[in-house]
Amino acid sequence: MLDPQHHQGKFGADYIRVLASAAGLVWSTDDLDVDGVDLTIKQPGRTKYGFSPQIEVQIKTVSRPRYRQGMLVFGGLSHTQFNQLAGTDFAVPRYLFAIHVPAVTGLFTDSVTGGLMLRHTGYFLSLRDRARFAADNATRKVTVQIPVSNVLDVEALSALVAGSSR
């Protein structure tokens, strides 16, 4: 069995993989995480927006989320991780995906009539409009606020990928 932290993180990544599959998108991972990208998600082939539009994502999970004024208040990014997402100079657009998962791993999924339910909800945020910190610091944390209207579902994921080549 995985320890609870790894189990939670793996479930968050699998949650995104399921959404990508449901959207008809493909995903890949680098053989080594050297720049904060957990998954690359793309629409294969030629589209009206270009050939194989794609995004890169960093996935974080939270089991005890804090909400304030329509925002998920997420304090789980180090300055280094923030810097790997912030700014406009990426060849491929990058997003933070924050997945609210149950605190109890046995509640990650549930079999319901007609299907399998994944708990709870994913959110997305672009840090494109944010300035990076002057120095990377892997131990210092930064808080970001993610609008709860940025729900990550099949339609939103598809739109993020399609919009990546505009």
Side-chain angles (χ1 to χ4, degrees), residues 21-45:
S21 294
L25 304 170
V26 296
W27 58 267
S28 62
T29 58
D30 292 339
D31 64 339
L32 186 62
D33 179 0
V34 293
D35 63 357
V37 173
D38 293 317
L39 289 177
T40 299
I41 302 170
K42 73 177 180 178
Q43 182 177 346

Short mmCIF file of all heavy atoms in Angstrom, two decimals, residues 21-45:
data_model
loop_
_atom_site.label_atom_id
_atom_site.label_comp_id
_atom_site.label_asym_id
_atom_site.label_seq_id
_atom_site.Cartn_x
_atom_site.Cartn_y
_atom_site.Cartn_z
N SER A 21 -8.94 11.25 -20.80
CA SER A 21 -9.47 10.13 -21.58
C SER A 21 -10.92 10.37 -21.97
O SER A 21 -11.31 10.13 -23.11
CB SER A 21 -9.34 8.82 -20.79
OG SER A 21 -7.99 8.49 -20.61
N ALA A 22 -11.71 10.86 -21.02
CA ALA A 22 -13.11 11.13 -21.30
C ALA A 22 -13.28 12.22 -22.35
O ALA A 22 -14.25 12.22 -23.12
CB ALA A 22 -13.84 11.52 -20.01
N ALA A 23 -12.32 13.15 -22.41
CA ALA A 23 -12.37 14.25 -23.38
C ALA A 23 -11.79 13.85 -24.74
O ALA A 23 -11.81 14.66 -25.68
CB ALA A 23 -11.60 15.45 -22.83
N GLY A 24 -11.26 12.64 -24.87
CA GLY A 24 -10.65 12.23 -26.12
C GLY A 24 -9.27 12.83 -26.33
O GLY A 24 -8.79 12.96 -27.45
N LEU A 25 -8.63 13.18 -25.25
CA LEU A 25 -7.29 13.76 -25.28
C LEU A 25 -6.28 12.68 -24.87
O LEU A 25 -6.65 11.67 -24.27
CB LEU A 25 -7.20 14.95 -24.33
CG LEU A 25 -8.22 16.06 -24.55
CD1 LEU A 25 -8.20 17.06 -23.41
CD2 LEU A 25 -7.97 16.76 -25.89
N VAL A 26 -5.02 12.91 -25.16
CA VAL A 26 -3.97 12.00 -24.73
C VAL A 26 -3.06 12.74 -23.76
O VAL A 26 -2.96 13.96 -23.77
CB VAL A 26 -3.17 11.41 -25.91
CG1 VAL A 26 -4.06 10.56 -26.79
CG2 VAL A 26 -2.51 12.51 -26.73
N TRP A 27 -2.41 11.98 -22.91
CA TRP A 27 -1.51 12.56 -21.93
C TRP A 27 -0.18 11.83 -21.96
O TRP A 27 -0.08 10.69 -22.39
CB TRP A 27 -2.12 12.52 -20.52
CG TRP A 27 -2.46 11.14 -20.07
CD1 TRP A 27 -3.66 10.50 -20.21
CD2 TRP A 27 -1.58 10.19 -19.44
NE1 TRP A 27 -3.58 9.23 -19.70
CE2 TRP A 27 -2.32 9.01 -19.22
CE3 TRP A 27 -0.25 10.23 -19.06
CZ2 TRP A 27 -1.77 7.89 -18.62
CZ3 TRP A 27 0.30 9.11 -18.46
CH2 TRP A 27 -0.46 7.96 -18.25
N SER A 28 0.84 12.51 -21.50
CA SER A 28 2.16 11.89 -21.39
C SER A 28 2.89 12.51 -20.21
O SER A 28 2.51 13.58 -19.72
CB SER A 28 2.96 12.09 -22.68
OG SER A 28 3.17 13.46 -22.93
N THR A 29 3.93 11.82 -19.78
CA THR A 29 4.79 12.34 -18.73
C THR A 29 6.22 12.28 -19.22
O THR A 29 6.58 11.42 -20.02
CB THR A 29 4.67 11.51 -17.43
OG1 THR A 29 5.01 10.16 -17.71
CG2 THR A 29 3.28 11.57 -16.85
N ASP A 30 7.02 13.19 -18.74
CA ASP A 30 8.45 13.14 -19.02
C ASP A 30 9.06 12.01 -18.20
O ASP A 30 8.52 11.62 -17.15
CB ASP A 30 9.13 14.46 -18.66
CG ASP A 30 8.71 15.59 -19.59
OD1 ASP A 30 8.23 15.31 -20.71
OD2 ASP A 30 8.84 16.77 -19.18
N ASP A 31 10.17 11.48 -18.64
CA ASP A 31 10.79 10.39 -17.89
C ASP A 31 11.39 10.87 -16.57
O ASP A 31 11.65 10.09 -15.68
CB ASP A 31 11.83 9.65 -18.73
CG ASP A 31 13.00 10.51 -19.14
OD1 ASP A 31 12.88 11.74 -19.15
OD2 ASP A 31 14.05 9.94 -19.47
N LEU A 32 11.57 12.18 -16.44
CA LEU A 32 12.09 12.77 -15.21
C LEU A 32 11.47 14.15 -15.05
O LEU A 32 11.43 14.94 -16.00
CB LEU A 32 13.62 12.88 -15.30
CG LEU A 32 14.37 13.34 -14.08
CD1 LEU A 32 14.17 12.35 -12.92
CD2 LEU A 32 15.86 13.45 -14.39
N ASP A 33 10.97 14.45 -13.86
CA ASP A 33 10.38 15.76 -13.61
C ASP A 33 11.49 16.74 -13.24
O ASP A 33 11.96 16.77 -12.11
CB ASP A 33 9.36 15.67 -12.47
CG ASP A 33 8.71 17.01 -12.14
OD1 ASP A 33 9.05 18.02 -12.77
OD2 ASP A 33 7.87 17.03 -11.23
N VAL A 34 11.92 17.51 -14.24
CA VAL A 34 12.99 18.48 -14.00
C VAL A 34 12.49 19.92 -14.04
O VAL A 34 13.23 20.83 -13.69
CB VAL A 34 14.14 18.31 -15.02
CG1 VAL A 34 14.86 16.99 -14.80
CG2 VAL A 34 13.64 18.41 -16.44
N ASP A 35 11.25 20.13 -14.50
CA ASP A 35 10.77 21.51 -14.59
C ASP A 35 9.33 21.70 -14.12
O ASP A 35 8.66 22.63 -14.52
CB ASP A 35 10.96 22.06 -16.00
CG ASP A 35 10.17 21.32 -17.05
OD1 ASP A 35 9.49 20.33 -16.71
OD2 ASP A 35 10.21 21.73 -18.21
N GLY A 36 8.87 20.82 -13.23
CA GLY A 36 7.57 21.02 -12.60
C GLY A 36 6.37 20.62 -13.43
O GLY A 36 5.24 20.98 -13.09
N VAL A 37 6.56 19.87 -14.49
CA VAL A 37 5.43 19.42 -15.32
C VAL A 37 5.11 17.98 -14.95
O VAL A 37 5.94 17.09 -15.10
CB VAL A 37 5.77 19.53 -16.82
CG1 VAL A 37 4.67 18.91 -17.67
CG2 VAL A 37 6.00 20.98 -17.21
N ASP A 38 3.88 17.78 -14.45
CA ASP A 38 3.45 16.43 -14.09
C ASP A 38 2.87 15.70 -15.29
O ASP A 38 3.09 14.51 -15.47
CB ASP A 38 2.41 16.47 -12.97
CG ASP A 38 3.01 16.97 -11.67
OD1 ASP A 38 4.14 16.56 -11.33
OD2 ASP A 38 2.35 17.79 -10.99
N LEU A 39 2.08 16.41 -16.11
CA LEU A 39 1.46 15.82 -17.30
C LEU A 39 1.46 16.82 -18.43
O LEU A 39 1.30 18.02 -18.22
CB LEU A 39 0.00 15.42 -17.04
CG LEU A 39 -0.31 14.24 -16.14
CD1 LEU A 39 -1.82 14.09 -15.99
CD2 LEU A 39 0.29 12.96 -16.69
N THR A 40 1.61 16.31 -19.63
CA THR A 40 1.34 17.07 -20.85
C THR A 40 0.07 16.47 -21.42
O THR A 40 -0.06 15.25 -21.52
CB THR A 40 2.50 16.94 -21.86
OG1 THR A 40 3.68 17.48 -21.27
CG2 THR A 40 2.18 17.70 -23.15
N ILE A 41 -0.88 17.32 -21.76
CA ILE A 41 -2.16 16.86 -22.29
C ILE A 41 -2.34 17.49 -23.66
O ILE A 41 -2.16 18.70 -23.81
CB ILE A 41 -3.32 17.25 -21.36
CG1 ILE A 41 -3.06 16.67 -19.96
CG2 ILE A 41 -4.65 16.77 -21.92
CD1 ILE A 41 -4.01 17.17 -18.90
N LYS A 42 -2.70 16.66 -24.66
CA LYS A 42 -2.85 17.21 -26.00
C LYS A 42 -4.01 16.58 -26.74
O LYS A 42 -4.45 15.47 -26.43
CB LYS A 42 -1.57 17.10 -26.80
CG LYS A 42 -1.22 15.72 -27.27
CD LYS A 42 0.05 15.77 -28.11
CE LYS A 42 0.44 14.41 -28.61
NZ LYS A 42 1.63 14.47 -29.46
N GLN A 43 -4.47 17.32 -27.72
CA GLN A 43 -5.45 16.80 -28.67
C GLN A 43 -4.68 16.36 -29.89
O GLN A 43 -4.07 17.18 -30.58
CB GLN A 43 -6.46 17.89 -29.04
CG GLN A 43 -7.54 17.40 -29.98
CD GLN A 43 -8.56 18.47 -30.28
OE1 GLN A 43 -8.63 19.50 -29.62
NE2 GLN A 43 -9.36 18.24 -31.30
N PRO A 44 -4.66 15.07 -30.16
CA PRO A 44 -3.83 14.58 -31.27
C PRO A 44 -4.38 14.98 -32.63
O PRO A 44 -5.59 15.12 -32.82
CB PRO A 44 -3.85 13.06 -31.09
CG PRO A 44 -5.10 12.79 -30.34
CD PRO A 44 -5.37 13.99 -29.49
N GLY A 45 -3.46 15.17 -33.56
CA GLY A 45 -3.84 15.43 -34.94
C GLY A 45 -4.09 16.89 -35.26
O GLY A 45 -3.84 17.78 -34.46
#
